[in-house]
Amino acid sequence: NAGVMQNPRHLVRRRGQEARLRCSPMKGHSHVYWYRQLPEEGLKFMVYLQKENIIDESGMPKERFSAEFPKEGPSILRIQQVVRGDSAAYFCASSQERGPNNEQFFGPGTRLTVL
Amino acid sequence: GENVEQHPSTLSVQEGDSAVIKCTYSDSASNYFPWYKQELGKGPQLIIDIRSNVGEKKDQRIAVTLNKTAKHFSLHITETQPEDSAVYFCAAMKNAGNMLTFGGGTRLMVKP
């Protein structure tokens, strides 16, 4: 059973470009979470999605950031018009169900560098 | 919202010694407290967790304690080995919640 898959592992963008980060949850998992990790800091929650629905986006910036988890295919975190402050590691996690009785399994992350 | 503080930020121990990492949380509604180990270039991996209905949990060389009254929980690693070197994160989650609130991390270095 493959774990959470993320691609690309490394992404370099120039200021103003778009970044698309992909996450395929573990088999059988329908709950996906995105977290951002700035250098030397802990992970910060961004958004929680369940198939085709955004459940909680309280941690996501209001502008330039969007997320989706379509019926078919991976979850996508999209950052438009990237700025240098977007440089970070973005981690996706998945769980079988929601709530504290269900472990969140993390992917290897996508390291975004904005030049 | 929830706020999780973690100390120390760096910890260096000799192989074979014990290591203790402490976290405090602010929201009394939190009732799930996992600990993650993150190695360089990888995602966090769950190593142990504890729920608010227990005060202590142990798994081989790793143990976690929870004091609900004081709102703090700790990770204890005994007989440390060089492969324990990594960044460790504590986290908290509310009962009806879905997001984890992470501490700032502790970089543990085990010297052979």
Side-chain angles (χ1 to χ4, degrees):
Chain A
N1 185 14
V4 178
M5 312 271 287
Q6 288 188 250
N7 68 81
R9 295 292 309 275
H10 300 274
L11 182 61
V12 179
R13 285 288 178 266
R14 295 191 181 281
R15 280 178 297 170
Q17 291 184 320
E18 178 180 289
R20 278 183 176 243
L21 288 61
R22 295 175 187 77
C23 168
S24 296
M26 285 180 69
K27 187 177 181 180
H29 288 192
S30 59
H31 301 256
V32 165
Y33 316 79
W34 286 93
Y35 293 83
R36 177 164 63 177
Q37 184 179 33
L38 294 172
E40 304 300 319
E41 293 188 11
L43 286 77
K44 298 283 194 279
F45 170 80
M46 298 181 74
V47 61
Y48 160 47
L49 309 99
Q50 193 180 357
K51 276 293 184 182
E52 300 186 89
N53 294 304
I54 295 175
I55 308 299
D56 182 350
E57 55 182 349
S58 58
M60 200 147 75
K62 295 285 188 285
E63 298 178 354
R64 302 188 298 107
F65 286 72
S66 63
E68 63 177 16
F69 188 15
K71 189 176 180 181
E72 301 291 337
S75 175
I76 306 285
L77 180 67
R78 182 183 178 204
I79 312 173
Q80 296 178 291
Q81 299 170 10
V82 295
V83 301
R84 288 216 174 107
D86 296 333
S87 294
Y90 292 82
F91 290 96
C92 166
S94 74
S95 66
Q96 198 165 30
E97 298 291 340
R98 66 177 293 172
N101 292 317
N102 298 278
E103 179 183 346
Q104 292 186 17
F105 293 83
F106 283 80
T110 293
R111 279 147 187 85
L112 172 65
T113 302
V114 179
L115 301 178
Chain B
E2 175 65 279
N3 182 48
V4 178
E5 300 282 340
Q6 183 171 347
H7 300 279
S9 56
T10 59
L11 179 59
S12 182
V13 299
Q14 285 295 133
E15 182 177 0
D17 287 351
S18 295
V20 180
I21 302 171
K22 298 181 180 181
C23 288
T24 60
Y25 62 100
S26 61
D27 193 335
S28 56
S30 291
N31 69 342
Y32 173 63
F33 307 94
W35 286 87
Y36 287 86
K37 176 183 181 182
Q38 186 178 26
E39 296 176 323
L40 193 62
K42 297 183 179 179
Q45 300 293 314
L46 180 73
I47 55 171
I48 195 168
D49 57 17
I50 191 167
R51 289 172 173 79
S52 59
N53 57 346
V54 299
E56 184 173 355
K57 184 176 177 181
K58 191 173 181 180
D59 182 4
Q60 299 183 340
R61 296 187 297 109
I62 295 173
V64 59
T65 58
L66 170 65
N67 183 327
K68 284 176 57 180
T69 304
K71 295 202 195 73
H72 66 68
F73 55 113
S74 302
L75 177 71
H76 304 251
I77 306 174
T78 58
E79 301 171 27
T80 53
Q81 301 166 3
E83 51 266 38
D84 293 330
S85 297
V87 179
Y88 290 80
F89 291 98
C90 61
M93 181 190 283
K94 297 180 193 178
N95 186 41
N98 43 64
M99 69 175 180
L100 290 165
T101 300
F102 283 84
T106 296
R107 184 175 300 279
L108 174 64
M109 293 169 283
V110 181
K111 300 177 189 174

